[in-house]
Amino acid sequence: MAIGYQQLVGFMPRRNILLPTLCIILLIAVWTFRSPRPPINSWLDTAATRGAASPPPSSLGPPSQSHNDVDLSAPDAPFVGWPLQRVCDEATWVQGLVYICDNNSGGIGNIRNYIQTCIRYGLEAGATGLVMPKIRKRNETDLADLFTDYLPFDYMFDEKHFKDAFAANCPQITLYDDIKDVPGVGSKPNIEHITPKKFGNREGCDFRDQNRHTDRFGNRFRKWLNDPKNGRSPPSPDHPRLIRFNWGVLWDWQIYRDGPEFANTFGNILRFNDQLLRLGKKTLKRMQAYAEANGVKDGRFLGVHLRTESDALGFWPTYNTQTEAYLKQATKRGFEVAYIATGDPLEAQNFAGAAIEMAQMRVVSKADLLDDEELEELDSLSWDQQGLIDFIVLLGSDFFVGTMPSSFSVYMAMKRHLKTGGLYTRPYKVGTEGDGLSYLVGNYEKYWEGWLFMWDGMWP
């Protein structure tokens, strides 16, 4: 019986299957002609059949935001504020917590990074108050003496620009002109001194290493701030807590942990003041005119930072090492004129003579380019302020040569590097020919002894 049933099911006369088969064929035909036909390359990877990779249909090109067209390397570049706003929007704010970012020293490369490193920690801590940074002046007769009087913020920087940047992009922070302006501090403010690296286990780290615990700094700092074992009450608007860093918190923060957008824009909160910008731009124009007057097309010139002054450290490249490397680059790139920045007039003279002899290149300084009235204004500036005039001119040079590990030269190379990608500039390739805009002579063999860590902790 079972065998008979299988035979019955497996057998069907042809006339009984003809009609159903015709119906199925008709339905397929109707469906095929009525449905939209996708292009063949939507289901057949034609590129792959030719041996080429096929990009995903959702791939995007480089970002096209209009602010990426801004030349962030310019000394007066506008501040692109949304990366700062993003950091502020992510912060955990603490009412009554005030940071004082004034324990700084040195030249422009150091001063600005002291200030910015302190501010960045303040944002991570959640400080709702910031006292306007002051600047420690260098001794004019002993350049190695970095700890003289405190001068106001506008000694170097544009105060209005700084305040406007915070007002527009980080309104959670109140800026105070002076410590005494902080509500509730009293006549004798109690300022607590900290070292951020101590808020994390440093076992195995070189003492010069960046802070490897910045992601956790905010939580650990606030835990310490609120711990009654420290003998202080948590901060409040009526009873603020004032925080100042111990000296030396300079290259702590690994800048690219915040993303290139923040790393490449944060530096522009510190814009040079109007006087320095005006005199610097005027000197740059005179330099370009000098080059053209000497037959150089488009005013093309080499920018030189000769770092041999009395405060230069013993292991830095010598005058001879710098001169040989600089003139080699000048010859290689065909420069006929150069602008030299140095605080040693005698060494500038020596370099100018060597440049004529070895590279057939004329060399001038700011003192050679400005007229009597402008020179009088220049002479009224301090040694470091005059260095900022040089900085502006060197930014405008067609190629820059400097020395490693001068923070002035490193800052210059990083600032110029912003020409390569704007807001999304990738890190400078340290110890190589770089980006075709700058060359720094120095020892790149050892990360710590060669001070290469500066490149990871300096905002351009």
Side-chain angles (χ1 to χ4, degrees):
M1 182 67 182
I3 294 175
Y5 176 74
Q6 288 178 352
Q7 290 174 341
L8 180 63
V9 173
F11 174 79
M12 184 176 287
R14 289 186 179 180
R15 65 177 179 273
N16 292 340
I17 66 171
L18 182 59
L19 185 59
T21 302
L22 289 173
C23 290
I24 291 171
I25 292 172
L26 182 61
L27 285 172
I28 291 174
V30 171
W31 180 262
T32 300
F33 285 108
R34 292 190 62 182
S35 300
R37 298 184 181 183
I40 189 170
N41 60 5
S42 70
W43 53 270
L44 175 63
D45 190 352
T46 55
T49 63
R50 301 188 192 102
S54 175
S58 60
S59 63
L60 301 174
S64 58
Q65 288 93 332
S66 59
H67 51 245
N68 198 39
D69 298 331
V70 174
D71 181 6
L72 296 176
S73 72
D76 56 352
F79 180 63
V80 178
W82 68 260
L84 172 61
Q85 185 179 35
R86 182 174 63 185
V87 169
C88 290
D89 288 345
E90 295 170 352
T92 301
W93 299 106
V94 180
Q95 298 300 317
L97 175 61
V98 179
Y99 264 49
I100 305 168
C101 297
D102 61 5
N103 205 350
N104 53 61
S105 62
I108 182 59
N110 285 19
I111 290 289
R112 61 184 298 280
N113 222 66
Y114 268 119
I115 293 172
Q116 291 184 271
T117 300
C118 179
I119 292 173
R120 183 62 190 90
Y121 271 117
L123 295 174
E124 199 68 19
T128 51
L130 174 66
V131 177
M132 284 297 297
K134 291 183 171 58
I135 299 169
R136 210 78 179 265
K137 188 176 184 294
R138 187 195 301 262
N139 189 326
E140 294 289 311
T141 57
D142 179 8
L143 299 179
D145 178 10
L146 307 176
F147 304 97
T148 63
D149 299 330
Y150 275 108
L151 295 177
F153 184 82
D154 63 5
Y155 168 63
M156 287 185 174
F157 304 115
D158 185 332
E159 184 171 326
K160 182 179 184 302
H161 173 80
F162 182 84
K163 288 181 174 180
D164 287 348
F166 272 95
N169 302 287
C170 199
Q172 300 92 333
I173 292 182
T174 299
L175 299 179
Y176 300 103
D177 289 331
D178 197 271
I179 295 173
K180 68 178 186 299
D181 297 328
V182 179
V185 297
S187 57
K188 295 182 178 180
N190 184 0
I191 301 174
E192 302 170 74
H193 290 73
I194 68 166
T195 300
K197 286 181 181 179
K198 292 185 177 180
F199 291 85
N201 189 336
R202 298 278 300 165
E203 184 177 354
C205 289
D206 189 287
F207 73 93
R208 294 160 293 193
D209 191 17
Q210 291 86 25
N211 190 345
R212 303 292 175 170
H213 295 284
T214 51
D215 291 347
R216 293 164 291 284
F217 171 77
N219 288 334
R220 289 175 177 176
F221 174 81
R222 287 186 291 272
K223 182 179 179 181
W224 168 83
L225 196 67
N226 293 305
D227 191 344
K229 294 179 182 178
N230 294 318
R232 297 290 306 273
S233 300
S236 68
D238 295 328
H239 299 90
R241 296 272 292 273
L242 308 181
I243 303 296
R244 174 183 280 148
F245 286 176
N246 292 313
W247 183 84
V249 182
L250 179 54
W251 316 113
D252 268 34
W253 196 281
Q254 294 176 311
I255 64 167
Y256 281 96
R257 289 198 62 80
D258 289 316
E261 307 91 345
F262 188 89
N264 295 325
T265 58
F266 188 45
N268 281 344
I269 61 170
L270 299 180
R271 178 193 286 175
F272 299 150
N273 68 42
D274 288 343
Q275 180 189 24
L276 299 175
L277 282 174
R278 174 179 50 76
L279 200 53
K281 288 180 177 181
K282 184 174 291 186
T283 309
L284 173 59
K285 286 184 178 180
R286 296 280 175 82
M287 182 62 212
Q288 291 166 334
Y290 172 84
E292 290 179 350
N294 282 274
V296 178
K297 185 179 179 181
D298 299 327
R300 185 172 177 266
F301 71 96
L302 175 69
V304 177
H305 179 217
L306 185 64
R307 187 64 170 95
T308 58
E309 295 88 348
S310 59
D311 64 321
L313 299 181
F315 67 93
W316 290 11
T318 63
Y319 166 81
N320 288 336
T321 300
Q322 291 180 54
T323 299
E324 182 181 348
Y326 296 170
L327 296 182
K328 183 178 179 180
Q329 289 290 330
T331 302
K332 173 183 175 181
R333 299 174 186 280
F335 282 101
E336 299 175 48
V337 296
Y339 178 93
I340 188 168
T342 179
D344 190 327
L346 179 59
E347 295 283 52
Q349 248 182 356
N350 293 337
F351 182 86
I356 286 289
E357 182 180 346
M358 298 170 61
Q360 295 75 54
M361 181 176 68
R362 295 182 179 87
V363 178
V364 294
S365 69
K366 54 185 176 293
D368 301 311
L369 298 170
L370 299 175
D371 62 29
D372 290 343
E373 186 177 341
E374 293 157 351
L375 283 173
E376 186 176 339
E377 182 179 10
L378 181 70
D379 289 340
S380 71
L381 302 177
S382 71
W383 193 82
D384 282 305
Q385 286 177 314
Q386 291 190 27
L388 301 187
I389 305 302
D390 287 328
F391 193 92
I392 293 168
V393 179
L394 295 175
L395 272 181
S397 66
D398 294 88
F399 192 80
F400 168 72
V401 288
T403 186
M404 178 67 200
S406 161
S407 61
F408 182 101
S409 285
V410 173
Y411 175 33
M412 175 65 64
M414 293 185 72
K415 187 75 170 173
R416 290 171 60 86
H417 184 58
L418 293 175
K419 293 177 182 290
T420 64
L423 193 68
Y424 300 98
T425 299
R426 299 171 68 190
Y428 187 92
K429 289 188 178 295
V430 181
T432 71
E433 285 291 326
D435 52 13
L437 300 172
S438 307
Y439 172 79
L440 270 59
V441 62
N443 184 353
Y444 294 91
E445 295 301 314
K446 296 182 178 180
Y447 187 78
W448 303 119
E449 286 74 9
W451 292 19
L452 304 187
F453 53 84
M454 286 196 298
W455 297 87
D456 295 325
M458 178 185 285
W459 278 278

